[in-house]
Amino acid sequence: MSSLLLRAAACALALCLAACATAQENGDAEHALPGFATNTAKRTIELSELRAGGPPKDGIPSVDSPAFIAPGEAAGWLEPQEPVVALALGGEARAYPLQILTWHEIVNDEVGGVPVAVTFCPLCYSAVAFDRRVETPGGIQTLEFGVSGFLRYSDLVMFDRQTETLWQQLTGEALVGDLLGTQLTVHPAQIISFEQFRAAYPDGVVLSRDTGYDRAYGRNPYAGYDDIARQPYLYDGPADGRLRPMEKVIALKLDGAEKAYPYALTRERHVVNDEAGNIPLVVFHAEGAVSALDAAEIADSKAAGSTGVFDRRAETPSGPQTLTFRWDPGSESGAGSEGRFVDEETGSRWSITGRATAGPLAGTELTRLPHGDYFAFAWLAFKPETEV
């Protein structure tokens, strides 16, 4: 039941898409996207940019009534090194295992009183958590998202079930429909290992496999896809010669600046102190999680590491300070991987989740910044002005 094979087998849907442009040219907006009630008269893209991904509308089912369990219970089927999307909002922390998200791509949820959509496009390795509330002429509306079956630049195109507007998953931008011009708000989330989530959030919970669907959770339907020598699936976007298409990057857009940090750099250095616009930031990359898209069994996959991006400004006993971080290999201190990020100013040790675990600043938490771990082609297709 390979998702790549399902995506590749959508001949009928491809023929429908071929008819979309003709229907639009004829002014027949109502039927321009078969099966959708989307207002195609409002759009920022040509409908021909939408490609059949394989499964039809809702063929990859979103999880709309998620159930959660304690980490101890999840440990029966989730290995310590497996990757999860960690999201902390309003005093609550939740882990969304990629072994589940790979099969569903969207979880409609509420965390700390905030309605969110936790999304993952396996073809781009893009995990993004969005606020489901949008401003409309009639006031604030809370949307529920589904998988449209379309791809654009190999990235998941979502749709909302209230207006059937189509949305780009990687950017959160409305592409086609009544909510055109709307940009979803991103909540900072990070991909870390299940073990690291348990250590950082002892009261956190984990998305249950009890989704209402029978899927081979734990198996990777995209076996071998995370390979720098491969070409992206169904990608027809612009080429960027600065990085190989399937090279992993940690990327962000912050204070008007767009930056991408290649894994080849961050896995070696572990720490990058930088600025984006006027915001001082630090990129952390530690041991921890394996890839979700390598081996047939996710738990057996190659190491990818865990990442985080944080504001370097913190309150210290001396007042507000901009910290400078370094990596301590632990050869002399014996520090574990969760204490190897050290700030030069106070000597405090920090975890991959941005919390000081020892030293004068113990208990202090850095402000998490929105970022993502992406295949380079995907980020650069939508953000070509990015500084690498």
Side-chain angles (χ1 to χ4, degrees), residues 163-340:
T163 73
E164 299 219 336
T165 295
L166 301 182
W167 304 77
Q168 193 76 59
Q169 181 264 349
L170 193 143
T171 66
E173 172 191 6
L175 301 174
V176 185
D178 288 331
L179 295 179
L180 190 72
T182 304
Q183 178 75 47
L184 297 175
T185 298
V186 176
H187 290 293
Q190 59 185 134
I191 296 178
I192 59 178
S193 72
F194 172 48
E195 181 178 39
Q196 289 166 330
F197 176 83
R198 292 185 71 176
Y201 306 107
D203 296 324
V205 293
V206 181
L207 179 65
S208 169
R209 281 177 160 181
D210 184 14
T211 62
Y213 299 93
D214 182 16
R215 296 293 185 270
Y217 299 128
R219 290 194 60 81
N220 168 23
Y222 302 83
Y225 191 66
D226 188 356
D227 182 347
I228 198 170
R230 287 189 65 128
Q231 290 299 311
Y233 179 73
L234 284 183
Y235 180 70
D236 56 2
D240 191 309
R242 291 177 291 175
L243 296 171
R244 298 177 73 175
M246 297 292 285
E247 184 169 353
K248 287 267 196 72
V249 297
I250 302 168
L252 55 88
K253 180 177 181 179
L254 187 65
D255 198 30
E258 298 167 352
K259 295 199 171 187
Y261 306 87
Y263 265 34
L265 169 73
T266 59
R267 290 192 70 182
E268 177 183 355
R269 294 188 181 180
H270 299 290
V271 174
V272 178
N273 295 286
D274 199 6
E275 292 184 359
N278 294 312
I279 299 177
L281 64 87
V282 62
V283 177
F284 287 171
H285 197 154
E287 299 94 341
V290 297
S291 170
L293 303 179
D294 176 41
E297 293 287 339
I298 292 176
D300 297 333
S301 292
K302 64 185 178 183
S306 302
T307 69
V309 180
F310 308 94
D311 193 317
R312 290 193 284 126
R313 295 171 293 191
E315 286 291 335
T316 74
S318 303
Q321 278 189 282
T322 298
L323 304 178
T324 304
F325 292 87
R326 62 179 173 84
W327 172 256
D328 181 357
S331 57
E332 296 181 2
S333 67
S337 62
E338 284 303 290
R340 291 184 178 177

Side-chain angles (χ1 to χ4, degrees), residues 92-129:
E92 292 187 23
R94 297 189 175 186
Y96 303 82
L98 290 191
Q99 66 157 263
I100 299 176
L101 276 173
T102 298
W103 292 94
H104 295 282
E105 302 191 358
I106 298 173
V107 177
N108 291 291
D109 197 8
E110 184 173 306
V111 182
V114 179
V116 297
V118 179
T119 70
F120 180 62
C121 177
L123 300 178
C124 297
Y125 218 97
S126 51
V128 190

